[in-house]
Amino acid sequence: MKKFTVVMLVLVTALSVFASGGKEAAKVGGGELIIYSPNSDTLLAAADVFAAKYGVDVQVLSMGTGEVAERVVAEAGNPQADVWYGGVNFANGNKYQDYFEQYVAKGNDKLPEAYRNQNGCVTRYCCDGSAALLINVDVFKQLGVDPASFKGYKDLLNPKLKGHIAMGNAAASSSAWAELTNMLLVMGNKPYDDKAWEFVADFCKQLDGVILSSSSAIYKGTVNGEYAVGVSYEDPCVSLLDNGASNVKLVYPAEGAVWLPAGAAIIKGAKNIDNAKLFMDWLISDEGQTEIGKSTARPVNPNIKNTSPNMIPMTDINVAYEDLAFCAANKEAWQAKFAELVQK
């Protein structure tokens, strides 16, 4: 009986080694995972669930997308983080792919084709509403503007709102860039035409020279009454409503609102690469997507719904569809043009 047991143990060990390509199988969980992220608190909460499930010491360093990119480039060859979580949109996913490990998460093939890993290194885990206009109803009334009359982008040009609009830097903020491309898509006679740029020029005049350096300053400044309108994105705006903010209202532009897949990637040379891969797998697993569904972003798995009562169905929104490749190809030129319009 003892001999049989020993033989079985040897066979199990041999099969384990064979399955791992002749190497000892990687340990699942434990250890550390260091994350750079521009994500809001509701999405970062998912990382806490992952940490508890696998016993991983997850350390999150929160910063804007532009700062994450700068760090990843500056630290190339000696990375100080393992994962870039959030802000890895289509353009960034291609621009920085040389700084990412090639890895396709388990379950990627089960996602809708539009939300799958496109370049071998970016895992798409949620969809962000790029067009979310947060209005402060109290400030509107102070300015003599009826909150109920505000329906979309064209209403940003109301003269009474000049100097009372919060917008980010489209050259540094992924959410501000998404707002710019959304405007260019829906505000012309056809997508991205001269008429759309005329609207953007008029909108920039409305900013009265004020551009905010971080996306969080936009929605926080709006709910605090510093601005009448925050040109933001869905996730943090819905989160404010979920947390009981009663002085703000979320408006999806009547002209059309885009939902863009948000991504995460493993930084090349990551010191905790096994945990980084495990995190990618978990993000698009049913459990990970269920946690995303508890946030104020929309899961890429269409079978998993959001739990927030403040997230209205997509059927109630005029959804627009962006040409991701075209926008990515024009990103630098459009960012430079936006900066020029702001300076004017």
Side-chain angles (χ1 to χ4, degrees), residues 261-340:
I266 301 172
I267 299 169
K268 182 168 284 188
K271 296 178 176 64
N272 301 296
I273 193 165
D274 289 333
N275 280 339
K277 290 179 178 179
L278 186 62
F279 184 61
M280 296 296 119
D281 295 345
W282 182 83
L283 276 176
I284 60 172
S285 69
D286 286 350
E287 182 182 36
Q289 288 289 283
T290 298
E291 290 303 320
I292 297 295
K294 295 176 184 178
S295 77
T296 43
R298 300 181 191 248
V300 288
N301 184 336
N303 297 319
I304 296 177
K305 307 301 180 185
N306 287 87
T307 60
S308 168
N310 292 301
M311 297 190 78
I312 66 175
M314 299 285 268
T315 51
D316 294 343
I317 301 169
N318 181 18
V319 178
Y321 298 91
E322 185 170 288
D323 187 334
L324 296 175
F326 185 75
C327 291
N330 287 278
K331 185 172 184 178
E332 290 187 8
W334 289 358
Q335 286 178 325
K337 189 169 183 177
F338 177 79
E340 181 182 351

Side-chain angles (χ1 to χ4, degrees), residues 48-206:
D48 293 336
V49 176
F50 168 82
K53 177 180 177 67
Y54 292 105
V56 177
D57 178 13
V58 176
Q59 301 175 41
V60 177
L61 283 76
S62 294
M63 62 192 78
T65 301
E67 186 178 351
V68 175
E70 289 175 1
R71 288 201 181 197
V72 168
V73 172
E75 295 166 1
N78 185 28
Q80 301 303 299
D82 306 302
V83 168
W84 178 347
Y85 173 39
V88 190
N89 53 26
F90 184 92
N92 283 340
N94 289 334
K95 181 177 180 179
Y96 297 104
Q97 61 181 312
D98 290 343
Y99 298 91
F100 300 147
E101 294 282 352
Q102 286 285 308
Y103 184 70
V104 178
K106 296 175 183 175
N108 178 73
D109 59 335
K110 296 180 175 62
L111 298 177
E113 188 172 352
Y115 297 147
R116 293 176 190 169
N117 187 325
Q118 301 290 323
N119 62 358
C121 53
V122 178
T123 298
R124 295 172 167 180
Y125 60 90
C126 77
C127 295
D128 282 330
S130 65
L133 304 175
L134 188 69
I135 69 172
N136 187 306
V137 295
D138 295 331
V139 177
F140 260 62
K141 292 174 183 177
Q142 292 168 12
L143 296 174
V145 182
D146 179 9
S149 69
F150 189 91
K151 303 295 184 182
Y153 283 137
K154 67 179 179 60
D155 297 314
L156 290 170
L157 303 186
N158 185 328
K160 292 183 179 180
L161 295 178
K162 185 173 183 178
H164 299 282
I165 300 172
M167 173 69 180
N169 182 358
S173 165
S174 59
S175 60
W177 163 248
E179 278 284 7
L180 174 60
T181 58
N182 200 138
M183 290 176 181
L184 292 173
L185 173 65
V186 302
M187 294 308 292
N189 292 322
K190 60 181 182 179
Y192 319 112
D193 66 2
D194 290 341
K195 182 174 173 56
W197 275 107
E198 288 176 10
F199 168 79
V200 173
D202 290 338
F203 168 69
C204 287
K205 293 176 185 176
Q206 286 288 90

